[in-house]
Amino acid sequence: MAAASPCDPVHTLPRNVVIKTEPEEALLISKQDVPVKREPDVPLVSPVCGLQPLAWSQDHRLAVCTNNSLSLMELVCDVHSSNQELTLHRTSIPVPTEAYKLRVGPSAELLQATEKFTTHPDPTVRQLFLADAVMNPSAVVQKGIKYSSWSPLGCDSSGRCLLACLTFDHRLTVHNSHKRLEWNVLVDLTKKYSERLKERGYSKKDNKPPQENLLDFDELQRRYRMQTPLRMEWSSVYTIKQAQPDNTCIDVEMVLLAVLMENGDLVLWKFVLPFTNGADVVFYDIVESGVTRPSDLAWWEYESSDRRMSGLIIGSEVGPVKIMPVSLSGVKGYFTLRHPVILWKECDEIAVENIKCVPMVHPIQKSRCSLIVASRGCYVFWCLLMISPAGLNVHNSHVAGLHSLPVVSLAVSQQGVAVYTCSIDGWIKKLTPTFTENTLIFKQEDMLRPENLTGRRIHGIAVSYNGAFIALASTQGMVGGFHPLNRTYHVHLVTLKTPETAAELLLQSPTQNLYKMADLLNLVRWQILKNKCIPASLLEELDRKIQEVDSPYLWRLKLFLVRILYQSLQTPPTDHRWKPTHEESKVFVRDEEEEDETDEKDPAQEEGEPEEVKHEANPEEQKAEVQAWINAVESHLMREHMKKVLGVVYLNTWVAQNTSIPTCGLVEYLSKDENDRDSEVLIGHIKNKMNKQTFLERCSLCQAVVPFTEYKQATCENGHMWLRCVLSHQACQTLTFRRCLLLDTIARLPEPEDPEWIKKILQAPCTLCDSPMI
Ligand SMILES: [Zn+2]
Ligand SMILES: [Zn+2]
């Protein structure tokens, strides 16, 4: 039966075969992660709408589909404010006002067809035509954003995500963000596909011209449905070889956008990265899935040692779920599925929605597998796909008894895999998969609802990239037994992890990129601001790790912690400074406590730490100490980066060539520290190669020499001041430059005359915080 499932783990399986998914992470998660609602609540101007209204990107931006715009909020790890509330930057993409019309053939013929079917004597034909939202856009009452989808990180020119956006009038566009507030439309894919279809005479994949014209009802319907997008999903980033004019091959990155059409066709578009120009999008392939009444789409991406496979999971409103093979010729180590894989074949009229696919490692069989989950009415459908030498294994079942109303939204946290489901009455359940020898069972928990969220109607949920937050879009439920006349819509952010768990995950991060961890970082930030100290255990562990492996990531994490500590010492501006204060004694007591803590925690003295982090009663002194600490960590990071840049300079310069990087300045700056063996060796090599050239930087206003005295700014002898680029260490002598997302550094824009290797240096993220330069 459709809904039969091993929903109750305790009774269906003997205890001794249960093995935790990922033992270490599971341990971490079990530490009482009580959800806490964080401020602020974000009010929305217009009602939430769409298929899955919330989408959270890998670069920590949340998209919310509403009736008049796609509302966007970016979660920023603010290092310049002592406010404990979350910092959210809000932007929006408005819904275009003019209605969109799909083209299906010559307009005269269409006019004739419209007339024929609106006045058709047979009511079954007439009604079908008049009520069809695609053929008769005037029948659609709903306006707004139907669906949005974020590309993986690193797709646009500044290394961030692209955003695909589909409106209820079937306009599918791809956007990128420009600077902080602006969104640009890069390409209109509905229009582009419509043009392609017109050129090909609205033929199917086999390229045979259609037999009938628009006056045939089925043909008219077919031509509309073949170009009406239902949903779209981005693949992950693939590397392909591209031949150059001189017959050499270079590695190029690309991403595919799969668009599911109403007739079940899958249209694939190829975006070569970084994607900047809308005209560069290429039609890649069309897959005719043959799924009737398709409802949802997700990528299936499988990777095991050197074997990779991709496919598209399609669900239907009628019930079945299957994977269609996607042929990716030219991608290294890639295999194509020979046939579609049926995941669920019963046509039981329960629609498949919210399909999600998570790569996992089977802890018993030690092999990679894919977990596919989807909502089907009140049930959660799951399917475990394993590939063994014997072939493909599919285990599937349903989890029943979770909700009494249909599941409206389903979100998956990939960090210590957990599935969150939510029904419209606001109940959120957490499902944790646990492997057994042959199958999978789900531990079910009710997610505690923060107080002021009970009784609210929930339209959608989404989990942040590392599972630190869950976002909920909600509106009032029944008020005094009645439905409220006017509804307001809000987005709430609720924590899923404690700051302690977040800290542990940050320390173990395999990505070594602070920006990718920003949601977890936000939890730690909150804790430091609340307690006005860095958790001793975190600092200890971090210092121990730095001793072990001296990675820039760990130093950046340290810099972040110290910067937030500094902010926590700022007196909030709301304090009335003129008022006499009677709280001095209290402050003193608290500071003494902290002093004890800090005395215990840093016996280790090393570079980047002040002599002693004593928290004396004088807040100004304390701040000065923390500032000194910040400077020490910052200059460590900068020195390491300078060495990296000099290494690149060494590899790329020839004796007679002038380089615009202030090489001599960097060499002198680095040689000030006599204990740095690495830089001594490097400097020796560079000096040999430079052969007494000095590569002086000159001021563009007065031609005077700009000396290299510090890494933040440069001043010429006539007092002209320039900021230094954090990536190339050059003085930025132009009016335009980029700033990092956290606004702590600036970077030069690459100039056309810059050699490739300098352009490459300028592509890097911020040296101090890993966030993109925009
Ligand atoms: Zn000057
Ligand atoms: Zn930065």
Side-chain angles (χ1 to χ4, degrees):
M1 250 333 278
S5 79
C7 62
D8 194 345
V10 187
H11 299 297
T12 46
L13 279 149
R15 280 257 137 175
N16 54 359
V17 296
V18 177
I19 290 181
K20 290 246 155 90
T21 23
E22 283 138 89
E24 275 171 41
E25 276 182 21
L27 260 179
L28 282 177
I29 307 304
S30 64
K31 273 187 213 157
Q32 273 304 301
D33 286 341
V34 180
V36 180
K37 191 167 88 66
R38 293 287 310 274
E39 297 298 327
D41 277 349
V42 185
L44 296 168
V45 190
S46 52
V48 175
C49 62
L51 305 166
Q52 288 160 34
L54 297 183
W56 215 321
S57 72
Q58 291 185 6
D59 60 2
H60 314 289
R61 293 186 281 190
L62 182 67
V64 187
C65 303
T66 74
N67 272 354
N68 68 5
S69 68
L70 185 63
S71 178
L72 296 144
M73 39 205 94
E74 173 160 22
L75 187 60
V76 180
C77 265
D78 201 341
V79 290
H80 303 291
S81 138
S82 59
N83 194 339
Q84 288 184 25
E85 289 190 357
L86 294 171
T87 308
L88 296 166
H89 286 178
R90 295 192 65 183
T91 47
S92 75
I93 300 174
V95 174
T97 41
E98 73 281 12
Y100 198 77
K101 277 203 147 174
L102 295 171
R103 280 188 303 180
V104 286
S107 50
E109 206 175 297
L110 179 63
L111 206 67
Q112 218 181 335
T114 314
E115 208 177 287
K116 178 181 168 189
F117 296 119
T118 39
T119 56
H120 202 277
D122 183 353
T124 53
V125 175
R126 193 172 64 230
Q127 300 240 330
L128 208 60
F129 177 76
L130 288 176
D132 191 307
V134 183
M135 290 194 277
N136 242 322
S138 54
V140 196
V141 223
Q142 185 134 35
K143 287 234 164 349
I145 308 286
K146 191 177 183 182
Y147 192 64
S148 67
S149 174
W150 292 99
S151 80
L153 198 64
C155 290
D156 81 347
S157 52
S158 44
R160 314 193 73 195
C161 302
L162 294 170
L163 177 57
C165 176
L166 175 64
T167 60
F168 274 105
D169 59 359
H170 318 301
R171 198 187 314 239
L172 171 58
T173 42
V174 175
H175 303 249
N176 78 333
S177 61
H178 177 64
K179 298 282 179 192
R180 282 170 174 80
L181 298 170
E182 225 179 294
W183 286 89
N184 294 332
V185 182
L186 290 173
V187 59
D188 181 339
L189 288 176
T190 305
K191 198 169 146 200
K192 201 159 171 126
Y193 192 54
S194 174
E195 277 159 14
R196 183 185 151 86
L197 285 178
K198 192 181 164 206
E199 277 166 26
R200 300 162 52 88
Y202 300 94
S203 62
K204 287 188 182 174
K205 194 181 182 177
D206 57 16
N207 238 340
K208 282 186 198 144
Q211 300 290 307
E212 308 287 343
N213 66 7
L214 295 181
L215 294 173
D216 179 82
F217 187 80
D218 289 339
E219 177 61 20
L220 182 67
Q221 197 173 37
R222 187 188 72 85
R223 289 198 197 176
Y224 271 113
R225 293 204 168 162
M226 74 192 302
Q227 53 175 318
T228 309
L230 261 182
R231 262 166 218 258
M232 60 287 173
E233 291 299 337
W234 297 90
S235 71
S236 42
V237 175
Y238 298 113
T239 309
I240 44 170
K241 292 253 180 261
Q242 200 172 55
Q244 295 293 286
D246 59 346
N247 274 335
T248 54
C249 267
I250 52 162
D251 278 347
V252 178
E253 291 195 319
M254 67 146 185
V255 67
L256 295 175
L257 180 68
V259 185
L260 174 62
M261 300 293 175
E262 280 219 339
N263 66 347
D265 281 358
L266 291 157
V267 177
L268 294 158
W269 297 98
K270 175 180 158 184
F271 294 72
V272 172
L273 305 181
F275 186 70
T276 45
N277 184 357
D280 292 347
V281 68
V282 187
F283 172 85
Y284 185 76
D285 199 4
I286 176 167
V287 181
E288 291 174 334
S289 75
V291 172
T292 45
R293 288 168 59 199
S295 60
D296 200 4
L297 169 77
W299 278 89
W300 171 67
E301 286 171 325
Y302 175 85
E303 194 175 345
S304 165
S305 52
D306 55 344
R307 183 184 271 255
R308 294 178 72 182
M309 284 192 200
S310 272
L312 283 160
I313 311 165
I314 308 175
S316 155
E317 277 179 38
V318 194
V321 187
K322 69 172 172 182
I323 301 182
M324 292 302 297
V326 171
S327 146
L328 279 175
S329 50
V331 182
K332 199 173 160 256
Y334 181 84
F335 293 79
T336 308
L337 273 177
R338 252 177 258 141
H339 307 286
V341 181
I342 310 286
L343 304 180
W344 184 253
K345 61 171 192 281
E346 228 85 16
C347 291
D348 43 19
E349 292 292 330
I350 307 178
V352 182
E353 267 154 0
N354 295 299
I355 303 176
K356 300 276 187 298
C357 179
V358 200
M360 291 180 87
V361 176
H362 197 298
I364 303 167
Q365 318 215 337
K366 305 272 180 251
S367 61
R368 285 184 183 268
C369 54
S370 311
L371 172 66
I372 295 154
V373 284
S375 67
R376 298 206 330 123
C378 304
Y379 313 118
V380 172
F381 167 77
W382 65 264
C383 176
L384 186 66
L385 254 181
M386 283 185 285
I387 298 177
S388 64
L392 196 78
N393 283 306
V394 180
H395 296 274
N396 61 15
S397 188
H398 285 76
V399 183
L402 277 177
H403 296 277
S404 47
L405 289 173
V407 173
V408 285
S409 195
L410 184 153
V412 177
S413 157
Q414 314 239 354
Q415 277 274 6
V417 178
V419 180
Y420 296 88
T421 60
C422 152
S423 54
I424 198 154
D425 52 5
W427 283 105
I428 300 178
K429 304 270 179 166
K430 181 184 174 189
L431 300 174
T432 318
T434 308
F435 284 94
T436 66
E437 190 77 49
N438 305 312
T439 181
L440 195 66
I441 49 176
F442 286 91
K443 184 177 146 214
Q444 300 176 22
E445 287 165 271
D446 276 329
M447 207 182 99
L448 286 176
R449 282 186 295 184
E451 238 168 63
N452 34 7
L453 286 181
T454 43
R456 286 184 75 88
R457 184 182 287 185
I458 300 210
H459 289 275
I461 54 173
V463 173
S464 69
Y465 183 48
N466 298 297
F469 293 95
I470 187 167
L472 308 108
S474 80
T475 183
Q476 294 94 338
M478 301 277 268
V479 179
F482 294 100
H483 291 288
L485 279 179
N486 295 310
R487 292 185 170 280
T488 51
Y489 292 79
H490 279 91
V491 174
H492 315 275
L493 296 172
V494 177
T495 63
L496 287 177
K497 291 185 168 38
T498 57
E500 289 77 22
T501 315
E504 282 183 57
L505 292 171
L506 278 167
L507 285 171
Q508 298 165 3
S509 166
T511 58
Q512 297 282 302
N513 181 316
L514 208 55
Y515 177 59
K516 285 187 183 163
M517 310 297 280
D519 55 338
L520 293 171
L521 211 53
N522 236 307
L523 295 178
V524 178
R525 172 183 183 270
W526 182 39
Q527 193 188 26
I528 297 175
L529 288 177
K530 261 196 316 194
N531 302 344
K532 297 190 186 296
C533 73
I534 301 172
S537 56
L538 171 57
L539 199 59
E540 249 170 49
E541 185 60 19
L542 183 58
D543 283 338
R544 197 186 61 75
K545 285 214 159 200
I546 287 179
Q547 297 262 317
E548 246 170 53
V549 269
D550 192 11
S551 79
Y553 166 76
L554 296 171
W555 280 96
R556 281 180 195 132
L557 176 57
K558 187 163 180 172
L559 177 62
F560 180 83
L561 300 178
V562 187
R563 278 173 168 180
I564 300 300
L565 177 65
Y566 183 80
Q567 287 304 327
S568 76
L569 302 175
Q570 303 276 49
T571 19
T574 44
D575 270 13
H576 301 291
R577 291 198 180 161
W578 54 270
K579 275 188 181 171
T581 161
H582 303 292
E583 290 174 4
E584 255 165 4
S585 54
K586 262 193 221 161
V587 173
F588 188 66
V589 171
R590 192 194 56 212
D591 281 357
E592 264 198 339
E593 278 169 17
E594 271 177 31
E595 191 180 322
D596 292 341
E597 251 179 61
T598 45
D599 276 353
E600 279 169 18
K601 79 188 172 199
D602 39 44
Q605 295 296 324
E606 51 165 316
E607 189 189 357
E609 253 174 83
E611 297 287 286
E612 230 169 77
V613 198
K614 261 198 186 156
H615 292 200
E616 272 122 39
N618 184 348
E620 285 311 312
E621 252 173 58
Q622 203 178 322
K623 268 165 71 179
E625 271 177 23
V626 178
Q627 184 60 57
W629 194 3
I630 294 178
N631 294 346
V633 181
E634 246 183 48
S635 67
H636 174 88
L637 273 165
M638 292 306 278
R639 287 179 60 90
E640 289 304 305
H641 187 262
M642 284 173 193
K643 286 187 224 165
K644 231 171 89 185
V645 171
L646 281 183
V648 181
V649 170
Y650 177 73
L651 288 178
N652 287 288
T653 43
W654 291 270
V655 180
Q657 188 198 32
N658 193 359
T659 163
S660 59
I661 307 255
T663 316
C664 266
L666 289 176
V667 164
E668 268 167 40
Y669 185 88
L670 281 177
S671 48
K672 277 182 204 157
D673 183 355
E674 285 154 10
N675 300 322
D676 193 344
R677 233 352 248 147
D678 293 353
S679 69
E680 240 174 75
V681 175
L682 181 69
I683 289 167
H685 285 300
I686 295 240
K687 279 195 168 156
N688 278 340
K689 202 164 181 179
M690 283 195 312
N691 197 17
K692 287 183 188 155
Q693 294 178 91
T694 45
F695 303 139
L696 293 172
E697 269 188 303
R698 292 197 178 270
C699 174
S700 62
L701 295 177
C702 65
Q703 298 308 309
V705 170
V706 180
F708 193 103
T709 46
E710 57 157 329
Y711 53 81
K712 275 189 180 151
Q713 60 183 36
T715 318
C716 81
E717 58 187 34
N718 293 320
H720 300 126
M721 245 172 26
W722 309 104
L723 291 174
R724 283 206 178 272
C725 166
V726 75
L727 301 175
S728 68
H729 304 288
Q730 291 158 290
C732 278
Q733 305 199 22
T734 46
L735 291 175
T736 49
F737 46 77
R738 298 169 300 155
R739 300 184 76 182
C740 95
L741 192 70
L742 299 190
L743 305 173
D744 58 355
T745 56
I746 68 146
R748 242 186 83 214
L749 282 160
E751 302 283 340
E753 66 268 18
D754 284 337
E756 276 310 310
W757 60 272
I758 290 190
K759 282 185 184 153
K760 208 170 165 199
I761 288 177
L762 292 175
Q763 272 170 10
C766 174
T767 313
L768 299 179
C769 70
D770 260 340
S771 51
M773 290 290 182
I774 50 178

